[in-house]
Amino acid sequence: MEKRFSKIIFDTDPGIDDAMALLFALRSPEIDVVGITTVFGNSNVDATTRNALNLLYFAGRTDIPVARGAGRPMVNPPGPTAEWVHGDDAMGNIGWNSQLNPAQHPVHRHAAEFIVENIMAHPGEITLVTVGPMTNLGLALQLEPRIAQNVREVVIMGGNVLASGNVSPFAEANIMGDPYAAALLFSAEWHVTMAGLDVTQRTQMDTPYFDALTLSGDPFGVFVSQIVRFYQGFHREWYDYKNGAVDTHDPSAIAYLIDPSLFMGEYYSIVVPVSGPAEGMTIADRRGKFYKTPKVNCLMRVDSTRFLDLYMQRLTHDE
Ligand code: BDR
Ligand code: CA
């Protein structure tokens, strides 16, 4: 395995697969989560912030600061949130309707300020990982454009090069959540890796896999197999997936950081329409002739077997 170490700010809208990704990161010695920033998306920002705090409490990591972020897109009107995918509590209806530990609080900083301050204080060190709508990154870029030169890299779960969209024929949910912010992100001069639907729908966890997580008795593994039940129902009804299979969206971004050799990427400039029928589409210039924006490392293929083994190992062995 290609060894590397990342200090990350995890920008997220938890969300079932966001939780799966965060626990994966917290169990991985290659990753140091220096902060969590929250955003609307799978639910409103009150709920996603509560879930971030609850996840850290559950994981015994209340030392990690949480900065609450955007409650709506930068320019476009707010769209629907995704409780029908993630449950009323956005955590698979496990009853997370309030904070588990009322003594926890987000820091007194907007997520965008938190991102700017941390990146500028540690030039070249911080990796931004965004697995929700990209509003906080868009706001941070407006606040301090020099974060582009001072971040180590940016890894997003979002978009799609060849795969169809999942919230319109063309668009993936996180890009559609704030196409304007995504357009800013793809035009900034920083190194972006995009774990989009081309790979995230190629790795699926199913009922036998979740049974193995349960049987391990590991609290993280057991928790994931509980929250995922609602998500399995969504995938069965919406995609007609068999055997309790679910896509592995947000954990793919973390898997890439832990071991980039799990993926094969291709570099394309990307443009995002902010309105019209193609709103939220990540149009990739596959001929390399039409767009001048920085080229994005678009992950196109994944070694799913090794990825699933890695996730299983991390969620079932607390070392
Ligand atoms: C993305 O949308 C959200 O529902 C998931 O958490 C993931 O980040 C997948 O399109
Ligand atoms: Ca997400």
Side-chain angles (χ1 to χ4, degrees):
M1 189 164 110
E2 209 176 299
K3 275 272 169 215
R4 63 174 191 167
F5 181 76
S6 306
K7 270 187 186 185
I8 72 167
I9 293 176
F10 189 62
D11 184 57
T12 178
D13 60 337
I16 294 170
D17 59 321
D18 303 71
M20 294 164 73
L22 177 62
L23 296 179
F24 189 25
L26 293 177
R27 270 289 171 78
S28 295
E30 299 86 353
I31 294 181
D32 179 12
V33 181
V34 298
I36 295 182
T37 50
T38 59
V39 66
F40 71 94
N42 290 325
S43 189
N44 61 66
V45 72
D46 288 337
T48 60
T49 305
R50 176 203 64 216
N51 287 349
L53 293 168
N54 281 358
L55 285 163
L56 290 177
Y57 183 69
F58 164 76
R61 291 301 309 273
T62 54
D63 57 300
I64 298 174
V66 174
R68 180 192 158 99
R72 52 156 294 155
M74 290 178 77
V75 176
N76 290 5
T81 46
E83 285 85 356
W84 64 290
V85 180
H86 295 267
D88 290 339
D89 58 3
M91 205 45 65
N93 286 343
I94 55 167
W96 276 16
N97 303 308
S98 57
Q99 265 183 238
L100 297 174
N101 170 22
Q104 274 174 282
H105 297 287
V107 297
H108 293 289
R109 285 271 183 290
H110 188 280
E113 292 172 323
F114 182 90
I115 288 170
V116 168
E117 283 171 15
N118 273 278
I119 291 176
M120 297 311 285
H122 305 283
E125 279 184 36
I126 308 274
T127 295
L128 282 175
V129 182
T130 291
V131 296
M134 280 127 225
T135 317
N136 291 333
L137 269 65
L139 292 171
L141 275 169
Q142 284 193 330
L143 208 57
E144 178 47 275
R146 290 177 304 163
I147 62 170
Q149 289 77 53
N150 287 282
V151 76
R152 180 168 160 199
E153 62 176 318
V154 179
V155 179
I156 66 165
M157 187 283 132
N160 46 316
V161 174
L162 296 177
S164 295
N166 62 356
V167 288
S168 86
F170 302 116
E172 182 280 327
N174 288 340
I175 307 290
M176 187 67 124
D178 193 341
Y180 187 87
L184 284 181
L185 183 145
F186 288 124
S187 52
E189 297 283 340
W190 52 12
H191 187 268
V192 179
T193 293
M194 177 174 117
L197 300 177
D198 303 278
V199 288
T200 67
Q201 294 188 320
R202 295 264 167 235
T203 303
Q204 294 180 340
M205 299 176 180
D206 59 11
T207 296
Y209 189 88
F210 294 120
D211 286 349
L213 285 178
T214 306
L215 279 172
S216 74
D218 184 294
F220 281 21
V222 172
F223 181 77
V224 164
S225 63
Q226 281 168 352
I227 60 172
V228 87
R229 282 187 205 127
F230 189 90
Y231 207 44
Q232 289 178 294
F234 160 75
H235 284 82
R236 185 170 53 243
E237 280 158 36
W238 185 252
Y239 294 115
D240 200 23
Y241 284 2
K242 310 290 182 217
N243 221 14
V246 304
D247 294 324
T248 309
H249 296 301
D250 295 350
S252 299
I254 300 297
Y256 171 77
L257 277 176
I258 298 172
D259 184 1
S261 78
L262 293 170
F263 297 89
M264 204 276 297
E266 295 170 10
Y267 278 83
Y268 302 125
S269 293
I270 287 184
V271 162
V272 180
V274 296
S275 63
E279 179 180 349
M281 182 176 183
T282 43
I283 305 176
D285 180 7
R286 296 182 61 228
R287 288 195 194 278
K289 293 189 188 304
F290 306 109
Y291 302 151
K292 297 278 175 276
T293 50
K295 288 193 165 40
V296 172
N297 179 23
C298 302
L299 303 184
M300 300 302 291
R301 275 190 255 149
V302 53
D303 185 337
S304 308
T305 308
R306 279 208 296 130
F307 175 3
L308 290 172
D309 286 350
L310 178 68
Y311 191 89
M312 178 66 71
Q313 192 256 328
R314 295 293 159 92
L315 270 274
T316 58
H317 295 85
D318 187 7
E319 273 145 21

